[in-house]
Amino acid sequence: MAQFGSPLPRSSGARGQDGGRAMAAQFSRSEGRWPHRRAYAAIDLGTNNCRLLIAKPSAGGFIVVDAFSRIVRLGEGLASSGRLSDAAIDRAIAALSVCADKLRRRHVTLARSVATEACRRASNGAAFIERVYRETGIALDIISAEEEARLAVLGCHILLEPGEGPALIFDIGGGSTELVLVDTEGPAPRILDWQSAPWGVVSLTESEAYDPNDAEARIAGYARMRARVADSFRPFAERLPKRREAVRLLGTSGTVTTLASLHLELPRYDRQAIDGLIVPAASMRDISMRLSAMSIDQRRELPCIGHERADLVVAGCAILECILDIWPAERLGVADRGIREGILRGLMERDGLHHHG
């Protein structure tokens, strides 16, 4: 098995306190009603994953009371057909039925459920949303790429390292990748610029078919993936500030959490070890290059990849390397949080529970 480098000591600035003092002060006044705290829920139905988070407000932001995640590959075959396939719809509805059951059992009073790139792009996206509501009672909202970027930032920005100048936050999804340039001078991050590129791990994998058992074909396929992504990033890259010292970078996605797990050589995925970790960018590039050269069977043998991610992780590596090309940070912050946490913060804020930290 390939060795993936030694663990990096955790940076003291790697973890933000969820929410900060102002939020704690706001909560302490309402302590009397805490025994009856409402449960809030967020569902994020992406091109690859269906994820649910149920939480209750607390002094530190919120406490998760239930969570669920399943790879459903909703966008499988979408690139060629323009439609969500019947099999993909069935997988998504099965996962959403589990979510609906959890919402009922946890007595959720306020939920927001969003669908992203696959549903934006599919010709039968609206019909799928209607069927989901009919069969599960979950009302999915197809959000814009801009809203997706905003929610991802709201959910994970707290893990950005302290520092000067703009920072780049990215979310590599199944069907698209969001790049967001933020200013962190004020109490909450301000979005300076953003782009949604139409390449995620599913759409990019499907766009570059090659024989995964042929070593030369793998190398050529990876190069084509990188060229395709670099081309889509170019307009955004040209607008980025030219100053390049001490740039900060934070990523949220299965790609970065999987690669960070390989960096730490974890025997199995451990969210507590990964969420808030800071990893040298050179290590992430090194792991990306090694994974891209491996056969699918070799990748399946690696812990934290397994069968479910073995075919998609290489596309994620290509996207990550392209991000490091346009924003050459020395260190990469890793977040196992994003859209769902952003939704929860938004819902609680709307109820007057806190200001985001």
Side-chain angles (χ1 to χ4, degrees), residues 6-14 161 263-264 273 276-280 331:
S6 58
L8 181 81
R10 188 183 294 285
S11 150
S12 59
E161 284 188 278
H263 169 76
L264 291 183
L277 187 71
I278 306 281
V279 182
R331 295 139 65 82

Side-chain angles (χ1 to χ4, degrees), residues 21-282:
R21 284 187 215 83
M23 193 193 299
Q26 183 134 1
F27 271 115
S28 60
R29 290 199 299 273
S30 60
E31 224 160 335
R33 66 171 196 266
W34 278 17
H36 314 291
R37 275 182 309 202
R38 303 171 68 174
Y40 295 78
I43 294 174
D44 169 19
L45 179 65
T47 304
N48 196 39
N49 265 292
C50 174
R51 293 191 178 100
L52 162 74
L53 212 52
I54 301 175
K56 291 186 174 183
S58 83
F62 51 77
I63 294 167
V64 173
V65 293
D66 208 344
F68 171 76
S69 179
R70 183 184 289 175
I71 291 179
V72 295
R73 301 206 175 193
L74 182 60
E76 194 169 59
L78 175 64
S80 53
S81 69
R83 297 175 56 80
L84 303 175
S85 74
D86 291 345
I89 287 172
D90 289 343
R91 288 194 298 268
I93 286 180
L96 289 165
S97 298
V98 175
C99 295
D101 189 44
K102 286 180 177 289
L103 295 180
R104 280 190 294 274
R105 285 212 309 271
R106 297 286 181 179
H107 306 295
V108 170
T109 49
L110 193 58
R112 185 178 183 203
S113 307
V114 303
T116 55
E117 185 70 10
C119 291
R120 285 198 289 267
R121 215 185 280 188
S123 60
N124 57 341
F128 164 70
I129 298 292
E130 282 174 27
R131 185 177 155 194
V132 166
Y133 184 67
R134 217 170 42 241
E135 296 189 20
T136 69
I138 291 171
L140 283 169
D141 174 20
I142 303 179
I143 57 171
S144 67
E146 186 170 14
E147 173 71 352
E148 187 177 353
R150 189 189 72 81
L151 288 171
V153 167
L154 186 58
C156 74
H157 73 85
I158 207 130
L159 295 178
L160 263 174
E161 284 188 278
E164 300 290 309
L168 189 68
I169 295 177
F170 66 89
D171 183 354
I172 301 172
S176 65
T177 293
E178 277 63 53
L179 303 170
V180 192
L181 190 70
V182 297
D183 169 23
T184 58
E185 297 298 304
R190 193 165 55 86
I191 294 177
L192 300 170
D193 197 356
W194 70 282
Q195 185 199 10
S196 179
W199 301 117
V201 295
V202 176
S203 53
L204 187 60
T205 300
E206 290 188 356
S207 77
E208 287 300 345
Y210 55 88
D211 179 359
N213 298 311
D214 179 332
E216 282 184 20
R218 290 198 295 268
I219 291 164
Y222 188 65
R224 287 197 305 274
M225 281 185 187
R226 285 197 54 181
R228 198 179 275 257
V229 176
D231 194 48
S232 72
F233 283 177
R234 196 160 289 118
F236 181 75
E238 285 167 1
R239 299 196 304 268
L240 285 172
K242 298 297 170 262
R243 176 182 163 273
R244 284 286 190 268
E245 313 90 64
V247 295
R248 291 172 294 153
L249 183 63
L250 175 66
T252 168
S253 73
T255 297
V256 290
T257 57
T258 299
L259 267 57
S261 300
L262 292 170
H263 169 76
L264 291 183
E265 297 184 357
L266 296 179
R268 70 190 62 81
Y269 187 70
D270 175 4
R271 183 182 188 273
Q272 277 198 293
I274 296 300
D275 184 48
L277 187 71
I278 306 281
V279 182

